[in-house]
Amino acid sequence: MNSPIRFLLFLILLPMLMGSSLQAQDNAVYLNKTAPLEDRVNDLFGRLTEDEKISLLGGASANTTVAIPRLQVPSMRMADAGAGVRGIGSSNGGPASAFPSGVVMASTWDPALIGQAAAAIGDEAHNKKVGSQVLLGPAVNIQRSPLGGRNGEYFSEDPFLAGQMAVGYITGMQGVGTSSCIKHFACNNEEVDRREANVLVGERALREIYLPAFEAGVKEGHVWTVMSSYNRINGPHASANHYLLTDVLKQGWGFDGMMMSDWHGAHQTATVINAGNDLEMPGKPRNLNPAAIKLALQNGQTTTAAIDENVRRILRTIIRTGLLDGPWQLDPTQVNSPEHQKLTRDVAEQGIILLKNQDNILPLDTTKIHSIAVIGLAADRPQIEVRGSPEVTPFYSVSPLVGITKRAGNDIAIHFAPGAIDNPAPVPNSAPVPAADPAQAQTDTTGNPLQEAVDAAKNSDVAVVVVSTFRTEGEGHDRPSMSLPNGQDALIQAVAAVNKRTIVILNNGTPVDMRPWIDQVPGLLEAWFPGQEGGNAIASILFGDVNPSGKLPTTFGMRREDYPDYGNFPGVKFRVAYEEGIYVGYRHFDKENIAPLFPFGFGLSYTTFEYGPLQLSQPTLDPQGKIAVSLDVKNTGSRAGQEVVELYIHDPSPKIDKPVRELKGFAKVALAPGETKTVTIPITPRDLAYFDVPGKQWKADAGDYEIQIGASSRDIRQHATVHLASDFTEAVPLSSDQLALNGGFGKDAAVDLAAGKPVQASSALDKFGAEEAVDNDDTTHWSSQPGDSQWLMVDLGTTTTIDRVRLFWADEYALGYAIQVSNDGQSWTDVAKTSKGMGDVEWVRFAPTQARWARVLASQPGKTGGGYSLNSFEVYGSGDHAPAASVP
Ligand code: BGC
């Protein structure tokens, strides 16, 4: 058949062919939404070509995955969503309901309420613009330092509370069919150098503090997507960390969904694929692009099996989000619906915390008050969200000034004074403001703003000062100190000096130093970043329409020096050692017996609660059992209110170093005046356990444990003893050696014999000389000139027994290289050789050998363009390595 005829025939048959293929697909198992998930995954996987599979590992655009139109597989769309649907670009950008930030959510101690909020966010994601399927939240990293830039986005300093909030959030969001993406896995606890910071953390702290919120999100929340963090953990970047992504998350916890990188957080190809990071975001992928993946396959650095596994996980999330179940009917009325507006307010009202209420200055008594001075730039222009990716553009937002003015009504005069001239933090805020116009308030912006604030306070019955950390915190920025910026301490002091009825409202995401004024003000509210309805929620609490019930999810220390990360934050030279180990937050304050300003779990109410004695469902707990702890809680005041009842475990005779108490349960109960309800909190043996590093297991030793029930971590009201009948253990199927292998532990784990020694290289680019690789500084690096064969050699000074080197590559790594030793610096012997170098951080071990010189001879670059870059070339000898034990 000649070609024109063949072509004609093809054209005639095309519709039939297409029809039959489409029909085949229409009947295909993967398109059948009633078929079991794994059948759908297998069916779709079986239809993909090798090229299509490979294409799925990298994003398509800023916020989408690659589509496979041939099989009717559309792009999966993503949006940031910690506090509402942010959206990236025109396809899903634009306004949405702005919920309170993560720390407010956690301050509610109400996972069910947060589930409702997350369901609303999920609904808005489906219906905003073209719709999104994967929402990049919750962010569950631990608030390790009071200066952490993203603390306001994160839930808590406590892993149990963070985990329970995560479970509530994920369950609510995924209940409406949108995937949550729990992030940032793991140890993204600071923003300085966040893309390179090497977190040196021991396995016990990882297991007990930094991982449990993720573990709960996977095991209890059944999350569909996880995002790896930017930072390094004991060497490798999180996205290249096999220990974390595969051993812990996938194999250890059974996570079967999609693991994706943070934006531009993948640095190599094979290392990332093999570690278990399934998807590189965003598109156009720098490392998980088809050309690089095919090269890695050709080079034998990765395998089809590894790629297939990653593809299946991506398909699972695509199918779970309903993308293959037909078009979604968009309903834009869902976005910022009246129900959602109410929910944003509910969360703020439940999450705002009353920290001080001397002489019952609150709630304000409208029968006695005739004027209120509302003071502070943040009263007018508050920051409603954490700065950075969680920022949502609201349709409207209510400032404290507007909320208070509206609630005060016509009989109470409002005197507004900003207290400062310039706003250091213009927050893109507020389209139309409902109700009262702040311009109507008595404002005079000429003259001396501090004096005007003082005058306003002097002439008012009550002064409300709203102070903010403004834009000193947020994504990419840690706070420089705990102090309030912009002269706000002086503002509070000046106002409090003339008005004894001064109430301070905090607008922040991290604890602030309150020593300059705390004793001078009778009232204090922590409002955090309260979302679009913040002003109304603040007013409800000030005027007593809502009885405050929020409690602190983080310790408010008196001063910076009291915190456990003091001296180890943000680290130096890209290294931050978590030397405090498990003693984060109240665990540290309790252990060191440091009085916090306001303890973890603390929050006041306008009513009072009485805690009855504890009842245990049984006094003895079997290693496989469970007990219920119950008590009666009575509202002994005259207002309806809600109380958060907190359960801590205390081990009176610990066999190993342990925190004084640890939160292991809580419940929030609503009580009418005089009402009593029974609160029941379950306890399992795992709640008594610590992570036994050498034993590679969770372990609770048989014996007596004290159950403490408190209104805060420092206000324990009741206790009882439970007896664990015999040892409880839960094996953790991986060895801590793997963690050591991945990069070693703390800074004192081993002596780097190459550090500071004479060094030479075959060539160097500009200022990136050979000495940069042995200067004990991971922020600097040696770069060779382009060229396939390059070397770097170190003179150890004396003949030494060595048995391993650590290569800390910058982005230009070697695919082929040898580690060589010499006794004269001239003739070299290979002690290790590979043609499958992986980049990032590589330990190369070899039989102990005596040598004075060591070198790396690189013969094939891992990336096109040639040349090599090493942040560090480290050499170690036998007997100088003390894994695990050196860092708690
Ligand atoms: C942030 C993530 C966010 C992503 C996409 C990154 O810079 O760390 O939290 O989800 O950007 O906006």
Side-chain angles (χ1 to χ4, degrees), residues 410-575:
N410 295 334
D411 297 337
I412 298 177
I414 302 293
H415 304 287
F416 170 62
I421 296 171
D422 58 328
N423 185 346
V427 177
N429 205 345
S430 217
V433 172
D437 178 359
Q440 300 303 312
Q442 298 167 26
T443 310
D444 179 8
T445 49
T446 57
N448 176 343
L450 186 61
Q451 189 55 48
E452 284 157 14
V454 168
D455 291 345
K458 221 187 264 176
N459 298 327
S460 303
D461 295 331
V462 173
V464 173
V465 190
V466 186
V467 290
S468 177
T469 49
F470 290 118
R471 296 175 83 86
T472 57
E473 56 181 300
E475 185 178 343
H477 298 272
D478 295 316
R479 292 182 62 206
S481 79
M482 280 176 65
S483 298
L484 280 170
N486 219 40
Q488 294 174 102
D489 286 335
L491 176 66
I492 300 172
Q493 285 166 336
V495 168
V498 297
N499 192 324
K500 297 287 162 240
R501 299 172 63 81
T502 294
I503 296 141
V504 171
I505 298 179
L506 299 168
N507 173 214
N508 55 333
T510 45
V512 299
D513 186 346
M514 303 186 214
R515 286 174 297 166
W517 45 262
I518 187 65
D519 294 334
Q520 297 162 43
V521 301
L524 178 65
L525 277 190
E526 175 53 88
W528 305 114
F529 297 128
Q532 66 186 32
E533 283 282 343
N536 283 335
I538 286 168
S540 309
I541 288 180
L542 288 177
F543 288 92
D545 306 332
V546 168
N547 192 348
S549 60
K551 289 196 175 180
L552 282 177
T554 200
T555 304
F556 276 16
M558 198 81 74
R559 32 176 222 152
R560 173 70 183 104
E561 296 87 319
D562 291 346
Y563 283 87
D565 67 297
Y566 181 70
N568 263 321
F569 180 93
V572 286
K573 298 176 180 175
F574 285 168
R575 291 176 208 169

Side-chain angles (χ1 to χ4, degrees), residues 79-87 96-100 105 121 124 169 385 390 392:
D80 276 301
V85 188
R86 173 191 176 219
S97 296
F99 283 82
M105 294 188 180
I121 296 171
E124 295 205 2
Y169 185 105
E385 301 290 7
V392 181

Side-chain angles (χ1 to χ4, degrees), residues 14 66 79 242 256 312 315 520 548 583 591 682 699 716 781:
L14 183 66
V66 165
H242 189 275
D256 69 357
R312 282 175 184 279
L315 297 184
Q520 297 162 43
Y583 292 100
K591 175 100 177 161
K699 183 166 192 221
I716 303 301
H781 60 89

Side-chain angles (χ1 to χ4, degrees), residues 80 86 136 150 183-184 194 227 230 262-263 475:
D80 276 301
R86 173 191 176 219
L136 310 177
R150 292 182 88 162
K183 67 186 187 183
H184 311 84
R194 64 177 172 153
M227 183 191 290
Y230 283 128
D262 199 345
W263 267 231
E475 185 178 343

Side-chain angles (χ1 to χ4, degrees), residues 13 61 87 120 172 201 207 305 323 350 372 377 422 473 510 528 534 642 742 744 769 855:
L13 289 176
S61 73
V201 55
R207 291 287 182 171
L323 253 188
Q350 303 277 322
I372 305 174
L377 287 165
D422 58 328
E473 56 181 300
T510 45
W528 305 114
Q642 296 188 72
N742 270 340
R855 78 172 186 177

Side-chain angles (χ1 to χ4, degrees), residues 101-179:
S101 70
V103 73
V104 190
M105 294 188 180
S107 301
T108 68
W109 296 62
D110 189 344
L113 177 66
I114 299 320
Q116 288 174 35
I121 296 171
D123 275 338
E124 295 205 2
H126 269 147
N127 295 303
K128 178 179 167 184
K129 295 278 188 72
V130 296
S132 301
Q133 294 77 38
V134 178
L135 293 180
L136 310 177
V140 304
N141 297 95
I142 291 298
Q143 297 161 343
R144 170 176 180 255
S145 169
L147 305 184
R150 292 182 88 162
N151 281 12
E153 196 182 339
Y154 300 158
F155 287 135
S156 176
E157 70 182 21
D158 180 78
F160 181 80
L161 179 59
Q164 291 309 297
M165 300 320 292
V167 172
Y169 185 105
I170 294 163
T171 312
M173 185 169 275
Q174 295 190 167
V176 298
T178 32
S179 174

